[in-house]
Amino acid sequence: MTVYLPGDVINEPSSSDSSIIGYGISVRGQTRIATQPGAFHNDDGKVWLNVHSKRYIPQEGDRVIAIVTSKTGDFFRLDIGTAEYAMINFTNFEGATKRNRPNLKTGDIIYATVFDTTPRTEAELTCVDDEKRARGMGQLNGGFMFKVSLNHCRRLINPSCKILQTVGKFFKFEITVGMNGRIWISASTSDDIIKIHDIINKSEFITDEDELITLVQNNYTRSVSD
Amino acid sequence: MAGRLREMRCELSFLKNADGSACFSQGATCIWASCSGPGDVHASKASDEAMTLDISYRANCGDNKFNVLNNIIHSTLSNAINLELFPHTTISVTVHGIQDDGSMGAVAINGACFALLDNGMPFETVFCGVLIVRVKDELIIDPTAKQEAASTGRVLFSVCKGSDGHPEVCAMDAIGHWDFIQLEAAWSLAQPSASAIFDFYKTVMKRKLSVDEQ
């Protein structure tokens, strides 16, 4: 694993053919410069840095968890953890028309996709795909939402990550991971929600699988009221 | 003690509410630094073309009004960050001096860089601070409070890593009488220490990112 700091020149891989420059790296002429501190990753012609951070910067195509803060005419104003609020039009929900509007109130939580970002305007979100289907997006009811770091979210949704698989063997739960560092979980009892929340928070710095299983088992058997 | 840095220690991500935070010490001098942003900015301070820097150094006694270290930290961050990436936002960097045993300016600049690295936002180059004092015609690097009090001249270098990887001055603050030859000697003395601090940054970030090694 190679760690680069901002300003460092990235020379690997030596062959620069058909490379897609990813997160944390910028190109100056023929040189690649790291712009964020991170661990270098390289896969099939793509290069990127895995940056540890807590502040979300909107990117098109990200799935995020948003909080409704207000309604302005046809738009809902949403908090996704960025400097500016994001916006979503009421027609960007599945089955929504002018006669059939979504019923969102201040404080509701929705799961949406970022589909437009420019540095000088608010990000725009949508809850439908190109075929106007929700595909799991929309309002999240009940449950519990909490914040973790962005790199932990990316780790959780990695198909090879064992954290959610191990938790799934012990608890029956529903989870939504947003790329802006927010996680929403729902389970049958509040005790289960508390335990799963603790497991996800504590697993951020665990890399060993046995240690992870021990953590999940200990939380499964513990009593929350203690 | 001349020509050698005191022991450096750093802990990252220890403040839960800040986007980036660092507890950094050199010898007995210790600071806490935090860096939050890019975040919301009041309309009166917002700029349509660039990010607004909100720098605050606070000593552990006295009031929290303007401190001279704000200037050099502001200059350094203006140089290190591409402010045009996030217009209409602000970034807040706060440095608290917890214990002062000399070289507080240099330690504050190093702590600000660690907080920025912990935050993870894009910026152009790492930077560090090196303080050199002159005591009876001898130059001392990273002085203690006693050496600082006995000094006849002080120069605080804010050093950036240039595009070729070598240290470059990006801001400096001098007190006392310095002629050009002495400044050049001080800069020659500061460069190896700046490289050592850059290596320390790499070591600490490697430790922080070691969870990715799997």
Side-chain angles (χ1 to χ4, degrees):
Chain A
M1 180 189 76
T2 311
V3 169
Y4 288 103
L5 300 187
D8 288 352
V9 177
I10 296 174
N11 287 319
E12 46 182 320
S14 53
S15 153
S16 61
D17 299 326
S18 72
S19 269
I20 296 173
I21 307 299
Y23 198 72
I25 301 173
S26 75
V27 184
R28 313 258 168 95
Q30 295 297 318
T31 313
R32 287 187 225 145
I33 307 282
T35 56
Q36 285 166 279
F40 181 79
H41 287 277
N42 170 22
D43 183 32
D44 195 23
K46 307 180 190 73
V47 290
W48 73 95
L49 299 178
N50 189 27
V51 179
H52 284 206
S53 66
K54 294 183 192 174
R55 173 66 60 158
Y56 177 63
I57 295 164
Q59 308 278 335
E60 284 175 36
D62 279 352
R63 298 260 179 130
V64 297
I65 293 177
I67 304 169
V68 179
T69 57
S70 64
K71 182 183 179 185
T72 311
D74 287 347
F75 290 87
F76 296 96
R77 186 157 274 162
L78 307 168
D79 172 19
I80 59 173
T82 55
E84 306 269 359
Y85 286 141
M87 293 185 308
I88 190 165
N89 192 290
F90 76 93
T91 57
N92 284 334
F93 290 86
E94 189 183 33
T97 63
K98 283 191 174 178
R99 292 169 158 270
N100 180 30
R101 290 175 181 245
N103 183 29
L104 290 180
K105 299 176 179 59
T106 299
D108 283 351
I109 297 171
I110 66 171
Y111 183 55
T113 301
V114 180
F115 81 91
D116 188 27
T117 64
T118 49
R120 285 171 171 79
T121 59
E122 297 117 339
E124 231 177 304
L125 269 58
T126 180
C127 280
V128 290
D129 63 0
D130 292 341
E131 300 168 6
K132 295 293 177 182
R133 312 296 291 180
R135 312 275 189 227
M137 291 182 278
Q139 188 176 356
L140 301 170
N141 289 298
F144 177 73
M145 188 192 78
F146 58 102
K147 281 205 68 167
V148 297
S149 58
L150 303 192
N151 49 287
H152 194 37
C153 282
R154 291 195 298 267
R155 183 181 168 197
L156 287 172
I157 64 174
N158 190 325
S160 65
C161 179
K162 301 294 183 187
I163 297 170
L164 295 184
Q165 293 175 36
T166 309
V167 178
K169 293 188 168 72
F170 288 84
F171 298 95
K172 188 176 290 186
F173 69 107
E174 191 178 355
I175 186 169
T176 303
V177 178
M179 292 302 292
N180 55 341
R182 293 184 179 156
I183 297 180
W184 174 90
I185 53 177
S186 183
S188 52
T189 65
S190 298
D191 285 8
D192 281 0
I193 293 177
I194 292 168
K195 292 172 181 177
I196 297 166
H197 162 266
D198 290 343
I199 291 166
I200 291 175
N201 270 331
K202 287 170 180 162
S203 61
E204 178 166 359
F205 301 108
I206 290 178
T207 54
D208 183 59
E209 204 167 318
D210 293 335
E211 200 180 337
L212 171 65
I213 291 170
T214 303
L215 169 71
V216 179
Q217 277 175 343
N218 287 343
N219 271 274
Y220 181 70
T221 54
R222 97 175 213 243
S223 175
V224 167
S225 53
D226 286 350
Chain B
M1 180 93 59
R4 186 164 5 109
L5 290 169
R6 292 176 287 177
E7 184 191 13
M8 291 185 282
R9 290 198 183 103
C10 183
E11 183 189 348
L12 298 176
S13 299
F14 74 106
L15 294 176
K16 197 171 182 179
N17 290 341
D19 293 337
S21 57
C23 172
F24 178 72
S25 68
Q26 276 178 224
T29 303
C30 178
I31 59 95
W32 284 2
S34 78
C35 172
S36 288
D40 204 13
V41 63
H42 194 273
S44 62
K45 291 183 180 176
S47 164
D48 281 339
E49 295 305 319
M51 182 196 293
T52 303
L53 290 172
D54 179 10
I55 312 295
S56 179
Y57 173 84
R58 293 146 187 257
N60 61 353
C61 57
D63 60 43
N64 287 320
K65 286 183 180 173
F66 176 81
N67 189 286
V68 291
L69 290 178
N70 293 6
N71 279 336
I72 192 166
I73 298 176
H74 193 285
S75 303
T76 307
L77 263 66
S78 302
N79 180 78
I81 300 176
N82 183 2
L83 299 175
E84 291 180 2
L85 277 182
F86 302 107
H88 231 273
T89 66
T90 188
I91 186 162
S92 253
V93 177
T94 304
V95 181
H96 288 262
I98 301 295
Q99 180 166 287
D100 188 351
D101 187 35
S103 299
M104 180 52 85
V107 175
I109 295 172
N110 296 339
C113 187
F114 264 121
L116 211 51
L117 288 168
D118 191 51
N119 182 313
M121 66 164 283
F123 60 109
E124 304 289 308
T125 179
V126 287
F127 53 91
C128 70
V130 182
L131 182 66
I132 295 186
V133 299
R134 182 184 57 218
V135 179
K136 296 175 186 174
D137 289 338
E138 183 195 1
L139 296 178
I140 297 177
I141 198 163
D142 192 22
T144 62
K146 282 184 181 177
Q147 290 164 336
E148 217 173 299
S151 67
T152 57
R154 273 189 279 152
V155 59
L156 172 60
F157 291 106
S158 179
V159 186
C160 285
K161 191 192 264 197
S163 49
D164 56 357
H166 291 115
E168 292 175 1
V169 180
C170 87
M172 64 181 284
D173 199 5
I175 295 179
H177 180 269
W178 290 88
D179 62 33
F180 187 73
I181 295 174
Q182 286 172 342
L183 276 181
E184 217 166 38
W187 174 235
S188 299
L189 195 58
Q191 284 180 74
S193 299
S195 298
I197 296 172
F198 292 144
D199 290 340
F200 184 68
Y201 288 163
K202 197 102 162 188
T203 304
V204 172
M205 291 307 292
K206 214 162 230 180
R207 188 175 72 216
K208 179 194 174 185
L209 297 164
S210 60
V211 70
D212 290 338
E213 196 161 16
Q214 55 183 331

